[in-house]
Amino acid sequence: MPSAWVDNEEVVFKDGIPLETARVYELLAGVLAENGRVIVEFVVDGVDTLRKGDTPDSFIKIEARSQTHHELTLRLVMEASKHVVNLDKEMQSYACNVLKTSWSEVFQRMDELIGKIKPFAELFDNLIPYVQTYQPPWSANFEKISSEQAKSLEGIMDSFERGSPACLSDELTHRFCSIYRQGTLLFAEEIIPFLKNKITEGVAR
């Protein structure tokens, strides 16, 4: 007989367990959302369908794992933070080299530069739904820095469109690096401790 488990506990459905995998996911996600949790693993007959991206129509056993919004957000933040360590120093070095390198070569490597900056932008983008939902005490500072980093990214792209190495160097050195330092400080001193405290509070209950 088909069964569904969430966080190692079997789920009992009021009207009996649905036979369609998608319907089970829908019901579980709805109930978990009401409790401030989200599905992070959805294993159908031994296959994690969230990673594979392919959900079978039927099932024998579903094993789901959930996390609170605070836990998931902290996990995303910590993972993204690994990719932006010392990014300001790297960008300062890049900004100097831009002025000594032919523009054609700089332009050809535009995607490489954007690829280095993208994780920092995603660090903010991934947090926006959380901030809008919970309105944490640091939300005003977060929104200000988030807006500034978006403008800086636009400025970097505009420099490439104008073919201006001087503007690109200036944008990276002065605006982007300053925003990076403000952002990493906010995460280290306010956001990460806040999320860890929320998780601790949840465990204590």
Side-chain angles (χ1 to χ4, degrees), residues 67 69-85 119-131 138 142 183-196 199:
Q67 288 185 330
H69 293 158
H70 311 301
E71 290 171 327
L72 178 60
T73 302
L74 179 61
R75 191 181 81 179
L76 292 173
V77 166
M78 298 305 289
E79 184 60 34
S81 297
K82 295 176 184 177
H83 301 287
V84 298
V85 176
F120 184 65
E122 290 176 343
L123 191 56
F124 286 88
D125 292 345
N126 289 336
L127 211 56
I128 289 174
Y130 180 91
V131 172
W138 38 264
F142 171 85
T184 51
L185 191 64
L186 179 66
F187 275 92
E189 295 188 349
E190 295 189 53
I191 297 177
I192 292 175
F194 175 86
L195 292 171
K196 288 182 176 179
I199 293 169

Side-chain angles (χ1 to χ4, degrees), residues 3-177:
S3 64
W5 300 69
V6 175
D7 299 328
N8 298 317
E9 291 187 11
E10 186 170 9
V11 180
V12 178
F13 294 83
K14 181 179 178 182
D15 299 318
I17 187 167
L19 299 180
E20 301 82 13
T21 308
R23 180 58 178 159
V24 173
Y25 181 91
E26 179 184 349
L27 291 173
L28 294 181
V31 172
L32 288 167
E34 292 175 2
N35 293 280
R37 302 185 72 87
V38 63
I39 295 174
V40 294
E41 284 184 9
F42 194 71
V43 179
V44 180
D45 298 332
V47 178
D48 188 347
T49 59
L50 293 185
R51 290 189 177 184
K52 188 178 180 183
D54 182 24
T55 304
D57 295 330
S58 59
F59 65 94
I60 295 175
K61 184 178 183 180
I62 288 174
E63 298 170 280
R65 188 170 69 87
S66 72
Q67 288 185 330
T68 65
H69 293 158
H70 311 301
E71 290 171 327
L72 178 60
T73 302
L74 179 61
R75 191 181 81 179
L76 292 173
V77 166
M78 298 305 289
E79 184 60 34
S81 297
K82 295 176 184 177
H83 301 287
V84 298
V85 176
N86 295 325
L87 184 59
D88 58 334
K89 295 178 181 178
E90 192 172 351
M91 289 302 102
Q92 284 181 323
S93 176
Y94 184 96
C96 291
N97 290 332
V98 161
L99 301 176
K100 299 181 289 185
T101 307
S102 67
W103 181 250
S104 60
E105 183 178 342
V106 172
F107 188 79
Q108 287 175 0
R109 299 178 63 181
M110 178 179 67
D111 289 343
E112 182 181 333
L113 173 64
I114 300 304
K116 291 180 181 296
I117 294 174
K118 189 177 179 181
F120 184 65
E122 290 176 343
L123 191 56
F124 286 88
D125 292 345
N126 289 336
L127 211 56
I128 289 174
Y130 180 91
V131 172
Q132 293 175 339
T133 300
Y134 294 97
Q135 289 295 307
W138 38 264
S139 59
N141 287 337
F142 171 85
E143 289 167 359
K144 179 181 178 181
I145 296 173
S146 179
S147 175
E148 287 300 314
Q149 70 86 20
K151 290 177 184 177
S152 182
L153 185 57
E154 288 178 6
I156 291 169
M157 296 305 296
D158 183 61
S159 298
F160 276 108
E161 291 176 5
R162 293 164 58 189
S164 174
C167 287
L168 178 58
S169 179
D170 186 66
E171 182 67 45
L172 289 171
T173 302
H174 296 101
R175 183 150 66 164
F176 179 82
C177 286

